[in-house]
């Protein structure tokens, strides 16, 4: 994808659309910063980029992660116990961007950003080469400051959409979002699920009706076949738990294998 | 605008609705049903009848002169929420939310609990209305409040012991939110305190404000005037806002909330969110919060499971900033001493939570002098705390075990 490491990554949306226009779709991979330690988490993110992941979603460990399942909770709790600090996020983004040309989004619960200062967080993220934020515990109607700041700093802001969201809320989410809309595929928190919910297909169709240009499906995807199924109707498949589990159990080399296997789901037959 | 007229979602700069999109539809649905119920005479009549014939309202007030001798001679009057069915003020809110659950057509309720009183009240209402019930409780709390775990199970509820994070109330709320995301279509979340996202702070307050409304009239009838001070313990803050609310626009009535200071507010082990926290977002609302520089929640500590929470309801944060209510710390030791004093002088064993307010009243009495009248919300009874008190004061015979 890249011939040179550039300071400015291609935008998240353009990367996803390029994959879709080529007839498939994008693979978005999640890993928490600082797990099992800062250096390894950087190596792990680089391994994702080198094994078929198109967009990185770096998670910020947080004390009260209400949208995460047990596997990710355990990893982020470990990172916190080992001394993760919020500023490590910018270090990680910078180091990853120096090694691979891939857009990096940061997934964070809201209180850490508020305490750091929304403006300061955005500025530091932009200068580290980050593309924007995914914010799972706030919605556009509670994110006024972030919407203003992200407009000024030209960062992406990824909001979530759920099968229970009303049409009016989906329109609001689509118009506030930049990068992609993050569709929650089952009424569930992150975790492994063997069957993908038909709700995801319906939700993506509703998002298209609401004007979404790019929409990715997350939560519940753990194998290449599921990636392929999701990409039949969505622009990207987001994988988290399966990657974190693989990193926890087998280290960076196992993670690389898992990412590579998952990315087979994005290839055309 | 009168202080009593605040309806949320914001109380000054506090409150709001900072929640995952997956839960917004359910929260909107609750807000809508709640707003409809406020102006619905049949809902209000049904709730009033439950208060009368099930809970045992109005709860009485009791003047406690032998206890008050230790408070500089001020008159101390207790609002006896401990005499409610299930043993605390929590039932007031739960019956309201259980009626809403029926109106929403949902068949299952979930709830978090700290000391277990809200869990017991929710399990009770679920039994009464024929709803399925699951209660989330931190593992630390299932151990220190084992009696309430057995009570909930006896009432037919499932109790889930939460083993993540600090394994106390805040983690029970996290787990209940996680569960709710997956079951929202059939399940209503009966939130226990005047915190969380809008509409919970305003709704829980409205279901609890009956405490102060009754007490205001009862004190006036007994003494011929309003009290000089109203005292309550504050964890999330539902019993405190319940007793404060009727007095918010009475400028001569001073309001005091007592936060759990654990080992002391200048040690790392306390739960004084207003006293030692700063504004942040936790569990859906902006309010005072115990947190580190990075915005990570700091674990709270208190001998009282019901006050062991690092946040506080947004209306209290607002009242604190306005100076309308004053929030002070009470240590574990001060609370336990007050618990024993009330037991021995008046024959009333209070919950450890409520004992924080009693300790505060002793201090207030000495400050305000013998002419003062102090109303204390006795939010719960101490049956659940006998094991903790027994260990604290060494009351058990060596080797004795109840078989």
């Amino acid at each position: 994808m890249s011939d040179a490491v550039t300071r400015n990554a291609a935008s998240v949306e353009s990367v996803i659309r390029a994959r879709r226009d080529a007839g498939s779709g994008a693979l978005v991979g999640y890993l928490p910063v600082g797990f099992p330690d800062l250096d390894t988490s950087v190596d792990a993110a680089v391994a994702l980029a080198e094994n078929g992941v198109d967009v990185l979603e770096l998670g910020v460990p947080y004390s009260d992660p209400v949208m995460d399942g047990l596997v990710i909770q355990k990893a982020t709790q470990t990172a916190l116990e080992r001394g993760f600090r919020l500023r490590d996020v910018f270090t990680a983004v910078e180091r990853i961007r120096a090694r691979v040309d891939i857009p990096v989004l940061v997934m964070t619960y809201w209180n850490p950003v508020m305490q750091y200062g929304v403006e300061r967080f955005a500025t530091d993220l932009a200068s580290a080469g980050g593309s924007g934020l995914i914010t799972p515990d706030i919605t556009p109607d509670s994110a006024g400051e972030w919407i203003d700041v992200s407009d000024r700093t030209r960062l992406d802001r990824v909001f979530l959409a759920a099968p229970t969201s009303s049409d009016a809320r989906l329109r609001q989410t689509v118009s506030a979002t930049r990068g992609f809309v993050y569709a929650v595929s089952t009424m569930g928190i992150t975790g492994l699920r063997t069957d993908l919910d038909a709700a995801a297909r319906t939700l993506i169709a509703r998002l298209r009706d609401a004007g979404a240009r790019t929409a990715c499906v997350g939560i519940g995807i753990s194998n290449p076949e599921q990636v392929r199924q999701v990409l039949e109707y969505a622009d990207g498949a987001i994988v988290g738990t399966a990657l974190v589990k693989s990193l926890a159990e087998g280290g960076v080399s196992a993670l690389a294998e898992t990412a590579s296997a998952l990315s087979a789901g994005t290839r055309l037959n | 605008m009168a202080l009593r007229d605040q309806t949320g979602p914001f109380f000054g700069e506090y409150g709001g609705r900072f929640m995952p999109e997956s839960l917004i539809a359910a929260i909107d649905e609750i807000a809508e049903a709640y707003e409809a119920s406020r102006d619905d005479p049949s809902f209000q009549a049904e709730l009033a009848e439950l208060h009368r014939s099930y809970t045992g309202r109005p709860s009485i007030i009791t003047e406690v002169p032998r206890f008050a001798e230790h408070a500089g001679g001020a008159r101390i009057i207790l609002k006896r929420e401990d005499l409610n069915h299930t043993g605390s003020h929590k039932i007031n809110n739960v019956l309201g939310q259980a009626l809403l659950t029926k109106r929403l057509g949902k068949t299952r309720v979930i709830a978090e609990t700290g000391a277990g009183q809200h869990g017991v009240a929710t399990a009770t209402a679920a039994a009464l209305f024929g709803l399925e019930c699951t209660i989330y409780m931190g593992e630390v709390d299932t151990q220190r409040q084992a009696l309430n775990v057995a009570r909930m199970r006896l009432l037919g509820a499932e109790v889930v012991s939460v083993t993540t994070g600090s394994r106390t109330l805040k983690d029970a709320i996290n787990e209940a939110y996680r569960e709710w995301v997956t079951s929202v279509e059939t399940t209503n979340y009966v939130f226990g305190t005047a915190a969380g996202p809008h509409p919970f702070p305003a709704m829980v307050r409205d279901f609890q404000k009956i405490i102060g409304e009754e007490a205001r009239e009862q004190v006036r009838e007994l003494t011929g005037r309003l009290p000089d001070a109203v005292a309550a313990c504050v964890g999330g803050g539902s019993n405190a806002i319940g007793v404060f609310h009727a007095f918010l626009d009475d400028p001569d009535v001073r309001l005091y909330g007592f936060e759990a200071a654990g080992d002391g507010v200048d040690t790392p082990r306390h739960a004084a969110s207003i006293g030692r926290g700063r504004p942040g977002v936790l569990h859906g609302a902006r309010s005072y919060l115990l947190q580190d520089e990075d915005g990570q929640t700091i674990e709270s500590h208190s001998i009282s499971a019901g006050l062991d929470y690092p946040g506080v309801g947004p209306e209290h944060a607002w009242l604190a900033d306005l100076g309308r209510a004053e929030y002070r710390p009470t240590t574990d030791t001060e609370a336990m001493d007050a618990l024993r004093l009330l037991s021995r002088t008046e024959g009333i064993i209070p919950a450890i939570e409520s004992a924080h307010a009693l300790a505060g009243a002793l201090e207030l009495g000495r400050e305000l002098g013998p002419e003062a009248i102090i109303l204390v919300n006795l939010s719960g009874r101490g049956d659940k705390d006998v094991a903790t008190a027994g260990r604290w004061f060494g009351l058990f015979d060596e080797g004795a075990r109840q078989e």
Side-chain angles (χ1 to χ4, degrees), chain A residues 62-67 109, chain B residues 170-171 174 178 282-283 296-297:
Chain A
Y62 176 53
S63 52
D64 295 274
V66 297
M67 287 296 284
Y109 292 91
Chain B
K170 88 172 171 71
D171 309 283
N174 292 342
R178 283 185 198 108
L282 177 68
H283 296 146
Q296 308 285 354
T297 310

Side-chain angles (χ1 to χ4, degrees), chain A residues 83-141:
Chain A
F84 165 83
R85 292 298 310 269
L86 197 51
R87 57 178 176 260
D88 297 342
V89 172
F90 310 112
T91 310
V93 172
E94 195 159 17
R95 284 167 58 186
I96 293 163
R97 293 274 306 121
R99 287 168 62 183
V100 283
D101 187 17
I102 185 171
V104 181
L105 289 165
V106 167
M107 191 291 262
T108 180
Y109 292 91
W110 196 240
N111 196 49
V113 180
M114 253 180 86
Q115 300 305 321
Y116 195 85
V118 179
E119 179 96 47
R120 182 177 159 224
F121 196 98
T123 307
D124 288 359
L125 180 61
S127 57
S131 296
L133 294 183
I134 301 171
T135 51
D137 65 344
I138 54 166
T139 49
D141 49 339

Side-chain angles (χ1 to χ4, degrees), chain B residues 29-109:
Chain B
E29 189 180 50
I30 292 172
E32 214 170 285
Y34 173 60
E35 274 159 35
S37 75
R38 270 194 309 210
D39 306 318
D40 177 352
S42 74
F43 181 93
Q44 296 302 333
E46 199 174 349
L47 184 56
E49 180 55 26
L50 284 167
H51 283 330
R52 192 189 68 79
S53 61
Y54 191 71
T55 306
R57 300 208 74 87
S59 64
I60 60 171
I61 56 169
T62 301
E63 182 157 7
V64 285
R66 279 171 44 76
F67 179 78
E69 284 172 16
H70 301 265
R75 290 182 74 176
I76 295 183
I77 297 165
L78 308 182
K79 178 61 172 168
R80 299 293 305 278
E81 293 298 302
D82 62 317
L83 297 179
N84 294 340
H85 179 47
T86 72
S88 82
H89 71 291
K90 292 293 188 187
I91 190 79
N92 303 328
N93 165 50
V94 161
L95 289 174
Q97 291 199 45
L99 283 180
L100 283 181
T101 304
K102 277 205 322 184
R103 298 210 160 193
L104 292 170
K106 295 191 173 176
T107 55
R108 176 168 175 264
V109 288

